[in-house]
Short mmCIF file of all heavy atoms in Angstrom, two decimals:
data_model
loop_
_atom_site.label_atom_id
_atom_site.label_comp_id
_atom_site.label_asym_id
_atom_site.label_seq_id
_atom_site.Cartn_x
_atom_site.Cartn_y
_atom_site.Cartn_z
N VAL L 1 36.71 84.41 134.23
CA VAL L 1 35.79 83.30 133.95
C VAL L 1 36.43 81.99 134.41
O VAL L 1 37.56 81.68 134.04
CB VAL L 1 35.48 83.24 132.44
CG1 VAL L 1 34.60 82.05 132.12
CG2 VAL L 1 34.83 84.53 131.97
N GLY L 2 35.69 81.24 135.22
CA GLY L 2 36.22 79.99 135.75
C GLY L 2 37.38 80.25 136.70
O GLY L 2 38.32 79.47 136.78
N GLY L 3 37.28 81.35 137.45
CA GLY L 3 38.39 81.83 138.28
C GLY L 3 38.60 81.11 139.59
O GLY L 3 39.51 81.46 140.33
N GLY L 4 37.77 80.13 139.90
CA GLY L 4 37.99 79.28 141.08
C GLY L 4 38.24 80.04 142.36
O GLY L 4 37.43 80.88 142.77
N SER L 5 39.37 79.77 142.98
CA SER L 5 39.69 80.34 144.29
C SER L 5 40.23 81.76 144.21
O SER L 5 40.63 82.32 145.23
CB SER L 5 40.68 79.44 145.02
OG SER L 5 41.87 79.32 144.26
N GLY L 6 40.24 82.34 143.02
CA GLY L 6 40.53 83.76 142.89
C GLY L 6 41.97 84.18 142.84
O GLY L 6 42.28 85.35 143.02
N ARG L 7 42.87 83.26 142.53
CA ARG L 7 44.30 83.64 142.55
C ARG L 7 44.58 84.81 141.62
O ARG L 7 45.34 85.70 141.97
CB ARG L 7 45.19 82.45 142.21
CG ARG L 7 45.13 82.01 140.75
CD ARG L 7 46.10 80.87 140.50
NE ARG L 7 46.05 80.42 139.12
CZ ARG L 7 47.13 80.19 138.40
NH1 ARG L 7 48.32 80.38 138.90
NH2 ARG L 7 47.00 79.77 137.16
N ASN L 8 43.97 84.84 140.45
CA ASN L 8 44.20 85.95 139.51
C ASN L 8 43.35 87.16 139.88
O ASN L 8 43.80 88.30 139.79
CB ASN L 8 43.90 85.50 138.08
CG ASN L 8 44.88 84.46 137.60
OD1 ASN L 8 46.07 84.54 137.86
ND2 ASN L 8 44.38 83.45 136.90
N ALA L 9 42.11 86.92 140.29
CA ALA L 9 41.19 88.01 140.62
C ALA L 9 41.71 88.86 141.79
O ALA L 9 41.67 90.09 141.74
CB ALA L 9 39.81 87.45 140.94
N VAL L 10 42.16 88.22 142.83
CA VAL L 10 42.65 88.95 144.01
C VAL L 10 43.89 89.76 143.65
O VAL L 10 44.01 90.93 144.05
CB VAL L 10 42.92 87.97 145.18
CG1 VAL L 10 43.63 88.66 146.33
CG2 VAL L 10 41.60 87.33 145.64
N TRP L 11 44.78 89.18 142.88
CA TRP L 11 45.98 89.91 142.48
C TRP L 11 45.62 91.13 141.64
O TRP L 11 46.15 92.23 141.86
CB TRP L 11 46.90 88.96 141.72
CG TRP L 11 48.20 89.59 141.33
CD1 TRP L 11 49.28 89.85 142.14
CD2 TRP L 11 48.56 90.06 140.02
NE1 TRP L 11 50.28 90.46 141.41
CE2 TRP L 11 49.87 90.58 140.12
CE3 TRP L 11 47.91 90.06 138.80
CZ2 TRP L 11 50.53 91.12 139.02
CZ3 TRP L 11 48.57 90.60 137.69
CH2 TRP L 11 49.87 91.11 137.82
N LEU L 12 44.70 90.96 140.69
CA LEU L 12 44.27 92.09 139.86
C LEU L 12 43.58 93.17 140.68
O LEU L 12 43.79 94.36 140.46
CB LEU L 12 43.35 91.60 138.75
CG LEU L 12 44.02 90.81 137.63
CD1 LEU L 12 42.97 90.08 136.78
CD2 LEU L 12 44.90 91.71 136.76
N ALA L 13 42.77 92.77 141.64
CA ALA L 13 42.12 93.75 142.52
C ALA L 13 43.17 94.54 143.30
O ALA L 13 43.01 95.75 143.52
CB ALA L 13 41.15 93.06 143.46
N GLY L 14 44.24 93.88 143.68
CA GLY L 14 45.33 94.56 144.37
C GLY L 14 46.03 95.61 143.51
O GLY L 14 46.67 96.52 144.04
N LEU L 15 45.89 95.48 142.20
CA LEU L 15 46.45 96.48 141.27
C LEU L 15 45.49 97.63 141.02
O LEU L 15 45.79 98.54 140.25
CB LEU L 15 46.81 95.82 139.94
CG LEU L 15 47.90 94.73 139.98
CD1 LEU L 15 48.11 94.14 138.59
CD2 LEU L 15 49.21 95.29 140.53
N GLY L 16 44.30 97.57 141.63
CA GLY L 16 43.33 98.65 141.49
C GLY L 16 42.21 98.39 140.51
O GLY L 16 41.41 99.29 140.24
N HIS L 17 42.12 97.17 140.00
CA HIS L 17 41.06 96.84 139.06
C HIS L 17 39.79 96.40 139.80
O HIS L 17 39.86 95.91 140.93
CB HIS L 17 41.51 95.71 138.12
CG HIS L 17 42.72 96.06 137.31
ND1 HIS L 17 42.72 97.05 136.35
CD2 HIS L 17 43.99 95.57 137.34
CE1 HIS L 17 43.92 97.13 135.80
NE2 HIS L 17 44.71 96.25 136.39
N ALA L 18 38.63 96.59 139.17
CA ALA L 18 37.35 96.13 139.69
C ALA L 18 37.11 94.74 139.08
O ALA L 18 36.89 94.63 137.87
CB ALA L 18 36.23 97.08 139.31
N VAL L 19 37.17 93.70 139.89
CA VAL L 19 37.20 92.34 139.38
C VAL L 19 35.98 91.55 139.83
O VAL L 19 35.59 91.57 141.00
CB VAL L 19 38.48 91.59 139.82
CG1 VAL L 19 38.56 90.21 139.18
CG2 VAL L 19 39.73 92.41 139.51
N THR L 20 35.39 90.83 138.88
CA THR L 20 34.33 89.86 139.15
C THR L 20 34.88 88.49 138.80
O THR L 20 35.39 88.29 137.69
CB THR L 20 33.08 90.15 138.28
OG1 THR L 20 32.58 91.44 138.62
CG2 THR L 20 32.00 89.10 138.51
N VAL L 21 34.81 87.57 139.73
CA VAL L 21 35.23 86.20 139.46
C VAL L 21 33.98 85.33 139.40
O VAL L 21 33.13 85.39 140.28
CB VAL L 21 36.26 85.68 140.48
CG1 VAL L 21 35.73 85.71 141.89
CG2 VAL L 21 36.75 84.29 140.14
N ALA L 22 33.86 84.54 138.31
CA ALA L 22 32.71 83.67 138.11
C ALA L 22 33.19 82.23 138.04
O ALA L 22 34.16 81.93 137.34
CB ALA L 22 31.97 84.05 136.83
N ASP L 23 32.51 81.35 138.77
CA ASP L 23 32.92 79.94 138.81
C ASP L 23 31.73 79.10 139.22
O ASP L 23 30.79 79.59 139.86
CB ASP L 23 34.07 79.75 139.79
CG ASP L 23 34.81 78.45 139.55
OD1 ASP L 23 34.40 77.41 140.12
OD2 ASP L 23 35.79 78.46 138.79
N VAL L 24 31.78 77.80 138.91
CA VAL L 24 30.72 76.88 139.29
C VAL L 24 30.82 76.49 140.76
O VAL L 24 29.83 76.13 141.38
CB VAL L 24 30.73 75.62 138.38
CG1 VAL L 24 31.94 74.73 138.67
CG2 VAL L 24 29.44 74.85 138.49
N SER L 25 32.01 76.56 141.35
CA SER L 25 32.24 76.07 142.71
C SER L 25 31.95 77.13 143.76
O SER L 25 32.63 78.15 143.85
CB SER L 25 33.69 75.61 142.86
OG SER L 25 33.98 75.30 144.21
N THR L 26 30.97 76.87 144.60
CA THR L 26 30.68 77.79 145.70
C THR L 26 31.84 77.81 146.70
O THR L 26 32.15 78.85 147.26
CB THR L 26 29.36 77.43 146.40
OG1 THR L 26 29.42 76.07 146.84
CG2 THR L 26 28.18 77.62 145.48
#
């Protein structure tokens, strides 16, 4: 939530997780 440019989401996806990042900024 509020993941912006995805620094945490991309790292978690690299660990094999299915990640959704939601943010106000396109």
Side-chain angles (χ1 to χ4, degrees):
V1 177
S5 60
R7 71 177 179 134
N8 294 319
V10 171
W11 183 76
L12 288 166
L15 297 178
H17 300 294
V19 185
T20 298
V21 59
D23 198 272
V24 71
S25 172
T26 56

